[in-house]
Amino acid sequence: VKGTFDLPAPRTERRYQEHEVANPRRVIALRDAIPARPKVLCALQGRHVLSARDLSRKLLVQIFRRAAEFESGVVPRKTPMAGRILISAFLVAANTRTRLSFESASLRQGGSVMTIGGGIGGLETPVDLSEAFNTYGDVVALRTEDQASFRSMLNDSRIPVINAGDGMDENPTQAMVDLYTLFKWRPDLLQKSVPAGRRIRIGIMGEPRQTRTIRSLLLMLCPFKEALERVVVFGRYAKPFSEGQREELEQAGLPLECTVELYPDMTIMECFHKELSRLDMIYVHPIQPLEMSRLGRLEAISLLKPGMMLLHPEVRVKELLDNVDDSPYNGYFAQARAAVFVRMAVLEAILNRT
Amino acid sequence: VKGTFDLPAPRTERRYQEHEVANPRRVIALRDAIPARPKVLCALQGRHVLSARDLSRKLLVQIFRRAAEFESGVVPRKTPMAGRILISAFLVAANTRTRLSFESASLRQGGSVMTIGGGIGGLETPVDLSEAFNTYGDVVALRTEDQASFRSMLNDSRIPVINAGDGMDENPTQAMVDLYTLFKWRPDLLQKSVPAGRRIRIGIMGEPRQTRTIRSLLLMLCPFKEALERVVVFGRYAKPFSEGQREELEQAGLPLECTVELYPDMTIMECFHKELSRLDMIYVHPIQPLEMSRLGRLEAISLLKPGMMLLHPEVRVKELLDNVDDSPYNGYFAQARAAVFVRMAVLEAILNRT
Amino acid sequence: VKGTFDLPAPRTERRYQEHEVANPRRVIALRDAIPARPKVLCALQGRHVLSARDLSRKLLVQIFRRAAEFESGVVPRKTPMAGRILISAFLVAANTRTRLSFESASLRQGGSVMTIGGGIGGLETPVDLSEAFNTYGDVVALRTEDQASFRSMLNDSRIPVINAGDGMDENPTQAMVDLYTLFKWRPDLLQKSVPAGRRIRIGIMGEPRQTRTIRSLLLMLCPFKEALERVVVFGRYAKPFSEGQREELEQAGLPLECTVELYPDMTIMECFHKELSRLDMIYVHPIQPLEMSRLGRLEAISLLKPGMMLLHPEVRVKELLDNVDDSPYNGYFAQARAAVFVRMAVLEAILNRT
């Protein structure tokens, strides 16, 4: 027996071509490339996640493995967060996808969510709110307007806080999502010694000095520096780094370059022509040179290296990306979809009771 | 042992008289009038619910039966949505009751809810959001500002989408609620052949060409055309229908009439005098001729046919309805209360795992 | 095995000194001071909680006991609210902590929550919304903009309503939190006859005639009048009480005094000098004389009686309180943290099925 009418069904396949990273086999490949060492994740138990600086390579790799287990759907149905409450406190305007991926990650594991979005309207002080959180919830995903509020709330917290933006000017779980996506594509980059010819060249389009996601990504790349040939920063400003930022990264061994130094006399357009064709991954940040938006559609695509992958952390740069949605360069849809699995792994590890 | 003081209790009976449809026996009557054919509901499994056009009479009738089972409270407690997430995405200002009825319908069945209300503030593009939904949730109740956004999100969705407004210019689950309420009152209208003398005359106060709920209702009435004597549209405009709308409905056999054609020389007030007394059900839409609001209170009631039923889909038309809350014409409270049961039936069928 | 890096951990101890009431042993002391009589809580089953007037001493004391059981963590894990929905309807701007404590209280007991925050935007009338609530939820925590809306929604409700502000110009569950905090500090005040020398002097900084939390607190103090030496109201206005308010309180035996009467010729600063040093508890309300904010930091602290306790119901009075966060006068953090346990007790009793 069925209805006379056929109801429209959701598509079962991806709409667009997308980058090879979107192939479900990549998830399996990443999972199988990492030996399971679940005890390593105990380092997260009951802890804050504030900065990429605090996260060891060993720990990150196990988070990626666990996320891949979640994404591949092989994890037996458990509800480690049953009876636990995630406070999803996006005290500035709620950034939709980051908030939703945290909330889904809690709900998917049997947890509950309390949302505070779009500000507390000056009614509450950080300390009062934080003291209340101590008994109202079990873990907080926190985004504040400024570092001072974040610090203040953190200081009073007796439950784990996940920095979802503005604390320490970072967004470490986003960087985990970025690297998870990179390693799904190239699990071979997780080997301790990557042959020189296999190392990748990453382009960062944006200003490291003022962009949270880029700050976290660069820090999180350091433990994986053996996989990198170069990290090239495309920026407009003479000083793309904040004080001490570049020094810290280079001391950790990150092979950094900036187009403003490489090509001081070139326009940013000319820098593109010089560099785009050699990059294996480009990380596009929305707050970036206006010049980039004037880059012609076809021209931009024609410059890209075959097989390379475009990521963007949260909000679309329309001019650059619209025309590559349906192309083998589009890694950002896979990146968006993966956000929930990475955050499931983080929440599970933090709230682990054993 | 009890407290010294007596605490105030909620009323146990309805506050107002209301239409006979509010009598709980009507729910039983509807349930018993429809033979259970649960397999018919499998047509909804994993499918989108976008337009009344896609819903067969057979399927609708089984949804009504299931909703009546929920409303009558006989359904054994199960949690078919346990571990499943409804994304309640009301990307325009959140219409309270529609959103809440969807969310309650999910929670009542053990599911979870993620709410996006009041806009995404330009931060996200439809395609990015939709791609994220594919892994963050299991079903989406979607209301967008325009059809283009709806279409765009739908195109990228690999999970079922329920049109909660603006996709295809319809709101099909609201029309289900409307018809569910009608058939609770008159289950006899579900018989294949309704004697001419038992058929009903429905008045639509509003503009079909631009009103989502009316568009869906008229389409959903087509499979039940044998129960209708006439559907009379009260409108101010010379062209109450959008292009092709009337032709489609009449081809499907709906006996349509418009007061602008029936009484071209009459004021809308005179049309009321002519028609109100013959209507068995009036569907009042908030966006409607201002003239209607000037209709005197007592006069309006005095024109209504004894036993007739007033429905209104979402927002009150104060001038017309305030004075009939406590009257045997008030069917709209029962309609509001029923919304959750109809949407429980829809969600259950879409997410059915068997 | 552990990560190379040590992740920062939340503090395990309170950050500040705080009042003795914050000592976890106080929770045990309160619990043990009250004989368990769970049947008394049946008086709340299926009832509204609207006014402190409706709550007997016997009932309040059992709520405090149950809240202490929750706060001490001895309650075996049960989910009395499984399958039940709290409608958290803060129809004005959502007051963060009150809303969150209600929502956490529901989630902690296995219940679900539907939030309506920040207004219904004129789209819905109170009666329509309330009728919908009757089937969408099981209990409503309701804050409205005015008493008329509250009354209107209450009149149509067939499920229990908890007054979270503006109904009857009260906020009774906040007063429960206030007294719970007081009795944690001084369980001896619950004895039927408190020796004269042990009775306490309470200062109320604010205007009882217009402040919901103060109105509820004064009413709820009446059944505990034997524990009070004096309740001194610090206010600027010649008439600190609304019509009949003082008479009702004094008839119930509350030993009230107002500084405007005690010291008609003194400035408010001089009143402070006269009274602050004798008060055992001060209840600071944010909407209060501006003069108070000019009170010097050190000076204010130097006037306080050793061991006394400062409470404030919801929003910080920056000028007065900032400098006492880290002091033995700070009882308001403990008060904020306790809010969820008191509301757990209230929700459990209202929704008790046995």
Side-chain angles (χ1 to χ4, degrees), chain B residues 109-284:
Chain B
Q109 301 187 88
S112 300
V113 171
M114 296 198 305
T115 304
I116 316 176
I120 49 172
L123 280 176
E124 301 281 349
T125 61
V127 55
D128 287 340
L129 205 53
S130 194
E131 278 296 346
F133 286 176
N134 284 330
T135 57
Y136 301 179
D138 299 291
V139 58
V140 186
L142 180 63
R143 171 168 300 180
T144 60
E145 202 158 355
D146 52 57
Q147 293 187 46
S149 309
F150 191 98
R151 279 275 176 211
S152 168
M153 295 198 64
L154 182 68
N155 276 338
D156 292 301
S157 191
R158 298 202 293 283
I159 59 174
V161 172
I162 302 171
N163 177 4
D166 257 301
M168 282 108 263
D169 230 350
E170 280 199 52
N171 190 349
T173 59
Q174 182 58 49
M176 291 180 196
V177 175
D178 304 335
L179 288 197
Y180 172 72
T181 310
L182 172 60
F183 293 128
K184 271 204 296 191
W185 169 38
R186 293 280 308 272
D188 63 296
L189 295 178
L190 286 169
Q191 289 162 9
K192 279 283 169 176
S193 74
V194 180
R198 303 278 303 155
R199 290 178 199 157
I200 61 166
R201 204 170 174 95
I202 296 179
I204 305 286
M205 300 205 165
E207 308 291 337
R209 64 174 180 179
Q210 65 188 10
T211 311
R212 289 194 297 261
T213 49
I214 295 177
R215 293 177 74 87
S216 282
L217 177 63
L218 291 176
L219 284 166
M220 206 174 274
L221 280 170
C222 294
F224 302 97
K225 58 178 185 287
E226 296 84 357
L228 308 175
E229 185 194 310
R230 273 282 167 272
V231 177
V232 184
V233 174
F234 290 75
R236 279 180 307 176
Y237 299 108
K239 291 185 191 307
F241 296 99
S242 61
E243 209 187 312
Q245 185 183 20
R246 182 175 195 163
E247 291 69 20
E248 180 185 9
L249 294 167
E250 291 188 331
Q251 212 157 348
L254 200 70
L256 271 182
E257 273 174 3
C258 308
T259 55
V260 287
E261 293 172 0
L262 285 176
Y263 316 109
D265 301 326
M266 286 190 187
T267 66
I268 200 155
M269 199 66 193
E270 289 167 328
C271 296
F272 286 148
H273 279 264
K274 203 79 182 168
E275 285 288 336
L276 280 193
S277 63
R278 298 194 287 175
L279 297 171
D280 299 286
M281 175 183 131
I282 301 180
Y283 190 84
V284 188

Side-chain angles (χ1 to χ4, degrees), chain A residues 1-16 18 71 77 93-101 103-105 107-108 111 312 314-316 318 322 325 332-333 335-341 343, chain B residues 37 39-40 43-44 46-50 53-59 82-85 112-117 120 122-125 127-129 131-138 152 154-160:
Chain A
V1 183
K2 70 186 287 285
T4 331
F5 299 60
D6 240 11
L7 283 155
R11 61 178 68 242
T12 51
E13 311 234 313
R14 287 177 276 119
R15 180 177 173 202
Y16 299 124
E18 300 190 21
E71 185 163 10
R77 170 136 213 92
N95 177 298
T96 306
R97 277 191 287 161
T98 304
R99 175 172 77 79
L100 291 181
S101 66
E103 298 186 359
S104 177
L107 297 172
R108 288 281 188 217
H312 76 101
E314 31 183 318
V315 196
R316 175 172 292 254
K318 282 191 82 101
D322 269 6
D325 281 1
Y332 43 87
F333 285 172
Q335 178 193 20
R337 294 189 297 257
V340 65
F341 304 110
R343 287 174 174 127
Chain B
R37 296 180 59 196
K39 277 188 183 168
V40 169
L44 272 168
R47 300 301 174 108
H48 296 313
V49 175
L50 301 176
R53 276 185 200 89
D54 305 326
L55 301 157
S56 69
R57 177 188 168 109
K58 200 189 299 183
L59 181 59
R84 317 297 276 280
I85 298 172
S112 300
V113 171
M114 296 198 305
T115 304
I116 316 176
I120 49 172
L123 280 176
E124 301 281 349
T125 61
V127 55
D128 287 340
L129 205 53
E131 278 296 346
F133 286 176
N134 284 330
T135 57
Y136 301 179
D138 299 291
S152 168
L154 182 68
N155 276 338
D156 292 301
S157 191
R158 298 202 293 283
I159 59 174

